[in-house]
Structure formats: structure tokens, C-alpha cells
Amino acid sequence: MLAMRPRVTGVVVVVGLGLLATGCGGGDGGGSSVDISDEDFDDLTAESDVTVDAIDNTFKPQYIEIHAGTAVTFRNDGRNDHNVLPADEGDFAPIDTAEFAPGDEGVVTFDEPGDYAYYCSLHGSTTKGMIGGVRVVE
């Protein structure tokens, strides 16, 4: 039983640190704790209708730049269920899996300038796999 104690303590520390990291940053709009500043963004600031497709294990385009107030339509053109979750809880209303089966669409309007990282939790994490981002400018 004593041999189990260090393992349990280690798990508690890791889980505790993970919860602290999850609670930091974001939530106030425009300040994603996931750094996407070095990514190449497709400039869609001239577009009034912006669509991001979820195709199997990727978002296309993956990183977009839009003006504040632009509505982005996320469309599931893949064969699998997906979701669209903000990397920082509260940055925008998520599109849940139940609402995003193949053929479904969801719309998110980005009103505040900043970078908003997002991901599909079924095919990635906040930093790897099926991820994307929206840069909102004035």
C-alpha cells in the first residue's frame, strides 16, 4: 500500500496543475492562452460570409482573420461527428457534437478583437490534432 502512495500523489499534482492551467487566461475574449500568433492566417477581412469546413480531421481554412462582428459558419463536410470548442472556455459559445454531425452547420459571431484558438475534442486537443484559430481585427 505504501508503494501506491507516491503514484497517487503524482497523479493528484498533475491533475491539479492541469486544472490550474485550464483556469488561466481566456474567457474574457480576445486573449487565448493558446498562442497562435505565429500561424499563417488567411485574410478574410473583405468577406461578409465566412465559412470554415470541418473535413475529417482538419478545419479548412485552419486559421482565418476577420473583422469584429463577423459571423463564421462552421460546416461539417466530413464523414464523422465533430465539435468546435474554444481553447479557453468562455471565449465563445461552443458547437457541441450533438449539433455538428455530418452536414450540420453552426454559427459563431466574433465581436471582440483578439485571437481565438479552437479545436475538435474528438480529433484533437487544444494544441494538437484538429485545431484552428480566428484572429479578429477592428
Side-chain angles (χ1 to χ4, degrees), residues 18-79:
L19 290 174
L20 284 174
T22 301
C24 296
D28 56 2
S32 180
S33 65
V34 176
D35 184 12
I36 57 175
S37 62
D38 290 335
E39 301 298 338
D40 291 326
F41 287 79
D42 288 355
D43 183 354
L44 303 179
T45 55
E47 305 291 326
S48 59
D49 295 320
V50 175
T51 300
V52 173
D53 294 316
I55 304 172
D56 300 321
N57 294 327
T58 188
F59 290 108
K60 289 189 181 185
Q62 187 173 14
Y63 295 99
I64 60 171
E65 182 175 274
I66 60 172
H67 278 293
T70 301
V72 176
T73 299
F74 289 90
R75 182 173 52 211
N76 186 343
D77 282 336
R79 297 173 291 183

Side-chain angles (χ1 to χ4, degrees), residues 25 46 54 88:
D88 292 312

